[in-house]
Amino acid sequence: MRKKRTACLLLLPLFAAAALSLLACGSVLAQSLGVIPAFGLEEPTLDYYRDALTSPAFHSALLVSLRVALLSALAAALLGTVLCAALVRVCRARGAMVSLIRLPILVPHTVTALFAILLLSQTGLVSRCAWALGLIDDPGQFPQLLFTPGCGGTILAYLWKEVPFVAYFTLALMAGVSATLGEAAENLGASPLRSFLTVTLPLSLPAVSQAFLIIFLFAFGGYELPLLLGATVPKALPVYAHLAYMHPDLRQRPAAMALYGVILLLSAAMAALYGLLTRRLLRKIGGGR
Amino acid sequence: MKKLAALLLALLMALSLTACSGKDEQAEKLDLSAASWDQIVDAAKGTTVTFYGWGGDEDRNNWLANVGAPYMKEHYGITLEVVGMNIDEILAKLAGEKEAGAAAGSIDMIWINGENFYSAKENGLLYGAFLDKLPNTEAYIDTQDPETLNDFCMPIEGYEAPYGRAQLVLFNDSAVTPEAPSSAQELLSYCRQYPGKVTYPALPDFTGSAFVRNIIYELCGWEQFQTMEADYETVKEAIAPALDYLRSLNPYLWNEGRTFPDSSTTVDAMFTDGELVLAMSYSPYGVAVGIENGVYTPTTRTFLFENGTIGNTNYMSIAFNSPNPAGALVVINAMISAGLQLSQYEKLRNLPVVSPEKLSAGEKAAFEAVDMGEGILTQEELLTHRLPEMPAKLVPVIEEIWLNEVVGK
């Protein structure tokens, strides 16, 4: 009984934080419906949502965010799994290599953007090396990787951070599976590749797909990287929404809040999907409780 | 979401401030509209004034910390607390306080102008008319100057006091490109000559936005905009020649006009890196400072369009719920004195707001004695080529049209 009470007490700050963020979400939704009494806006209306959903700029922003999220999550899941398998194989998921891959995870996104600009911009380090080697004679000849409408720079920067994340996230499970069932398969005569593909990989998939969804959600709502490495147009959805929020006319605030409302609802839907998928996957491999 | 957290924090702070504002209110019983200046100065003694404004200019931050604040302490016993914050965040904070119904806020003075002043005044986020109350308005400011009467065509009505003046200028390195384009047409041939080496900051960056407005003035004149309605289609029709021109510029710009650098800071960095051959600034004496600091080469020089460039004034205003309006009045009054304006002219190379006709012979000589440095235009050249701003509410409309009609087209 006492234990329970202590646990509840310890959870109180968490509840407070959750209540506060719910309050904030509520305030965003209220404002997105056009209710800001301080500026003389009192009638609730869905007009702001209609305007947002029918604007071409919103469509392209949504597409950019989905594109960045999908491509970086897919590529990160794929490369991260390969990296993880290599780590398990080569150093048994221990040692300096594992510490090394934790580094990019710890680096903040703004710093990652700075790295990308320093390295990959047309006057960046790579371009300067190419110039020194006589491969190009003008910064303009170096391929434009950053600030392109295709978001190559943003996706590359996400990959640099998220490939190690997927590897790290999957490492414990995959190392466990590989050391037990994987080795059993090999003892029974399976080749290492076959043992990996038919035993270790399928059993590690829940972790990989969870990592995929985390990255997808994060990149979809991410602001810093698309802001710093994205094109002037089309902008990623969070950047577009922030721009609308910065509109000097405060009575335009509901229009911005409607954009945040859309992001909020889409993220909530994806989080629900994440919960559903995880539960199903767990049940499939018999790990659900 | 960060914004939201900031808003919530602002709300919380506003709440906590209301809770402990009892003491301040007692000190603030003085009726400012009826009080004499001496009474105001007395009431302000020993208080703290918070000054919120853009904190991105290191030189100005240093000046405020090393000259402005000590001056207030010494002459008026006021502690000046400078808080660096972007104007949109300041307005969001004020809006949050207004929503929460906070009687006493956390902001006294605000550094503001243009569309933000328009929005703040329209939405009741400002204290009210105070300019007439300041003795230095009468002593140093030209009260009939268009920029004392209107801010981006919005009647000021005493809601803000001038702080400094800005004017758009272009600059390049005469050793790299001998040409200094003095009109939109010359700029086009300049871009053709140096393809991929010219660009401007993506709107809504202040400098990029002013550059585009200046191109509009070049091709469509400036008079028609002073009274124009902020209607998307009306504005688009009026600026059609400028849009054509900007689109014709695109193929010769950096990255072929598909992307524009995110801010004037980035453009500046690209210029000093040699990636661009031309840059632009709202600080007409910025090149002199850059040459002194070794950021620009000694052959860098400032120039402007023959038909003139946009100039505007930035101002100081007081928040609607300022906990210490008396203190704010005293600080603002000191900021527009000849002494502090001269110091800003000297240390920051800021175009002063004091009227030359109102200066004493000694003060005038002191201004003239300041060595402004290399690579810049004289104050007279600047002021004779100075064009007024557009109405504030047209600015966001033009920015939106630019995004839809110019980028990548």
Side-chain angles (χ1 to χ4, degrees):
Chain A
M1 193 58 208
R2 166 174 275 180
K3 249 189 190 162
K4 219 172 191 175
R5 204 180 300 151
T6 321
C8 278
L9 268 176
L10 286 173
L11 280 174
L12 264 182
L14 188 71
F15 288 141
L20 210 60
S21 51
L22 274 181
L23 203 71
C25 292
S27 149
V28 166
L29 291 177
Q31 292 195 18
S32 72
L33 294 172
V35 183
I36 311 180
F39 306 144
L41 301 168
E42 277 164 3
E43 280 295 303
T45 163
L46 280 173
D47 286 359
Y48 296 105
Y49 278 98
R50 203 196 51 219
D51 289 351
L53 294 174
T54 52
S55 116
F58 169 80
H59 293 153
S60 46
L62 182 65
L63 276 181
V64 165
S65 280
L66 284 175
R67 180 193 158 88
V68 168
L70 196 67
L71 287 181
S72 26
L74 267 180
L78 202 74
L79 297 174
T81 312
V82 173
L83 176 65
C84 182
L87 283 173
V88 168
R89 192 96 211 146
V90 175
C91 49
R92 302 249 142 224
R94 271 189 298 273
M97 277 302 281
V98 177
S99 315
L100 196 67
I101 67 156
R102 274 164 62 186
L103 252 174
I105 305 175
L106 298 175
V107 173
H109 282 86
T110 33
V111 180
T112 309
L114 198 71
F115 285 165
I117 294 172
L118 284 176
L119 283 176
L120 302 176
S121 74
Q122 285 179 308
T123 49
L125 211 58
V126 178
S127 162
R128 278 167 208 235
C129 288
W131 179 78
L133 292 171
L135 297 174
I136 56 171
D137 10 84
D138 188 278
Q141 290 174 353
F142 189 75
Q144 180 82 34
L145 297 171
L146 311 177
F147 322 118
T148 56
C151 308
T154 315
I155 294 172
L156 276 178
Y158 270 125
L159 286 186
W160 185 78
K161 268 188 73 66
E162 312 305 3
V163 167
F165 170 76
V166 174
Y168 193 71
F169 194 84
T170 323
L171 201 56
L173 181 62
M174 195 185 276
V177 172
S178 170
T180 53
L181 298 172
E183 271 182 25
E186 280 180 49
N187 281 340
L188 294 173
S191 71
L193 185 67
R194 184 171 165 151
S195 139
F196 176 75
L197 287 179
T198 54
V199 179
T200 310
L201 183 64
L203 288 175
S204 311
L205 265 186
V208 177
S209 56
Q210 270 187 339
F212 170 87
L213 275 166
I214 291 174
I215 296 170
F216 185 88
L217 260 175
F218 190 87
F220 180 75
Y223 172 74
E224 301 100 316
L225 286 184
L227 173 81
L228 295 167
L229 302 174
T232 311
V233 278
K235 294 180 190 306
L237 196 51
V239 181
Y240 179 64
H242 182 67
L243 199 69
Y245 180 79
M246 270 175 39
H247 196 291
D249 183 359
L250 290 168
R251 281 169 208 166
Q252 296 288 320
R253 184 61 59 80
M257 287 304 174
L259 293 174
Y260 283 120
V262 173
I263 298 178
L264 203 64
L265 295 177
L266 280 175
S267 302
M270 280 187 274
L273 190 73
Y274 168 81
L276 213 72
L277 272 181
T278 332
R279 204 171 306 159
R280 264 181 59 184
L281 272 167
L282 278 176
R283 201 176 304 139
K284 211 161 136 195
I285 60 163
R289 260 161 285 173
Chain B
M1 286 325 260
K2 243 185 239 164
K3 283 276 160 179
L4 216 87
L7 198 76
L8 266 171
L9 269 176
L11 268 168
L12 277 176
M13 275 159 74
L15 281 175
S16 60
L17 272 165
T18 16
C20 61
S21 64
K23 202 185 90 213
D24 282 337
E25 262 166 49
Q26 273 173 358
E28 213 35 77
K29 273 288 175 263
L30 190 65
D31 178 10
L32 291 181
S33 54
S36 73
W37 184 249
D38 288 338
Q39 284 173 314
I40 294 176
V41 173
D42 267 349
K45 192 161 275 168
T47 60
T48 297
V49 172
T50 54
F51 184 12
Y52 278 64
W54 185 60
D57 181 351
E58 270 316 303
D59 294 331
R60 178 167 294 279
N61 296 342
N62 288 337
W63 182 83
L64 281 169
N66 300 325
V67 181
Y71 183 95
M72 303 306 162
K73 190 92 211 170
E74 194 183 315
H75 289 80
Y76 301 104
I78 291 176
T79 310
L80 183 64
E81 245 173 52
V82 181
V83 183
M85 194 186 262
N86 286 342
I87 184 67
D88 50 298
E89 280 152 26
I90 298 172
L91 291 191
K93 189 168 151 75
L94 280 177
E97 288 178 358
K98 189 166 169 126
E99 269 172 81
S106 47
I107 301 175
D108 291 312
M109 282 165 65
I110 315 161
W111 185 13
I112 195 168
N113 81 344
E115 63 270 33
N116 296 301
F117 172 68
Y118 173 85
S119 174
K121 190 174 176 225
E122 280 278 280
N123 289 296
L125 299 181
L126 300 179
Y127 180 78
F130 65 83
L131 194 59
D132 289 344
K133 204 80 209 163
L134 311 177
N136 280 344
T137 304
E138 188 51 40
Y140 292 114
I141 304 292
D142 177 1
T143 47
Q144 290 314 306
D145 186 297
E147 289 175 42
T148 317
L149 296 171
N150 298 300
D151 178 358
F152 281 58
C153 301
M154 175 77 169
I156 292 175
E157 293 166 342
Y159 276 60
E160 53 180 10
Y163 184 30
R165 286 181 190 227
Q167 185 165 351
L168 186 75
V169 292
L170 304 168
F171 56 95
N172 63 14
D173 186 342
S174 58
V176 178
T177 61
E179 306 84 357
S182 65
S183 70
Q185 286 321 315
E186 281 185 41
L187 181 68
L188 178 60
S189 35
Y190 182 82
C191 293
R192 276 202 180 125
Q193 204 173 337
Y194 303 100
K197 299 238 172 207
V198 179
T199 190
Y200 49 93
L203 282 58
D205 176 88
F206 269 176
T207 311
S209 184
F211 172 77
V212 167
R213 288 199 296 281
N214 222 115
I215 292 294
I216 293 173
Y217 280 8
E218 278 279 304
L219 295 156
C220 320
W222 59 270
E223 293 88 348
Q224 58 165 324
F225 297 102
Q226 300 290 305
T227 51
M228 189 173 284
E229 270 307 301
D231 171 61
Y232 189 93
E233 292 303 325
T234 317
V235 177
K236 190 174 150 188
E237 207 183 302
I239 64 172
L243 294 175
D244 282 338
Y245 171 86
L246 288 169
R247 279 189 293 257
S248 74
L249 215 52
N250 274 351
Y252 311 106
L253 294 183
W254 174 76
N255 204 14
E256 289 166 11
R258 285 190 303 254
T259 318
F260 291 80
D262 63 320
S263 71
S264 56
T265 326
T266 311
V267 170
D268 221 37
M270 290 164 75
F271 173 73
T272 49
D273 258 356
E275 198 174 357
L276 299 177
V277 294
L278 175 103
M280 54 205 69
S281 167
Y282 240 139
S283 314
Y285 301 130
V287 168
V289 182
I291 292 176
E292 269 161 46
N293 298 339
V295 180
Y296 302 138
T297 55
T299 39
T300 308
R301 40 82 201 267
T302 310
F303 56 93
L304 32 70
F305 286 160
E306 206 102 289
N307 293 337
T309 55
I310 292 181
N312 66 46
T313 301
N314 48 79
Y315 302 84
M316 296 165 287
S317 192
I318 304 178
F320 76 97
N321 59 353
S322 156
N324 183 11
L329 286 176
V330 174
V331 172
I332 292 175
N333 185 59
M335 288 288 194
I336 60 175
S337 66
L340 283 186
Q341 284 290 319
L342 175 66
S343 170
Q344 291 182 60
Y345 188 59
E346 230 169 3
K347 300 267 165 53
L348 305 175
R349 313 288 160 82
N350 201 20
L351 263 177
V353 298
V354 290
S355 159
E357 284 98 63
K358 290 194 170 180
L359 294 177
S360 69
E363 288 164 342
K364 221 174 198 164
F367 269 97
E368 275 160 16
V370 176
D371 174 21
M372 295 305 284
E374 298 299 312
I376 50 169
L377 301 170
T378 64
Q379 189 171 334
E380 199 195 329
E381 270 173 290
L382 289 168
L383 294 182
T384 49
H385 288 90
R386 192 172 169 89
L387 299 175
E389 265 300 351
M390 282 189 189
K393 49 191 178 181
L394 293 189
V395 174
V397 178
I398 291 173
E399 285 162 359
E400 199 185 335
I401 297 175
W402 179 82
L403 273 178
N404 293 337
E405 303 292 331
V406 175
V407 185
K409 294 280 159 70

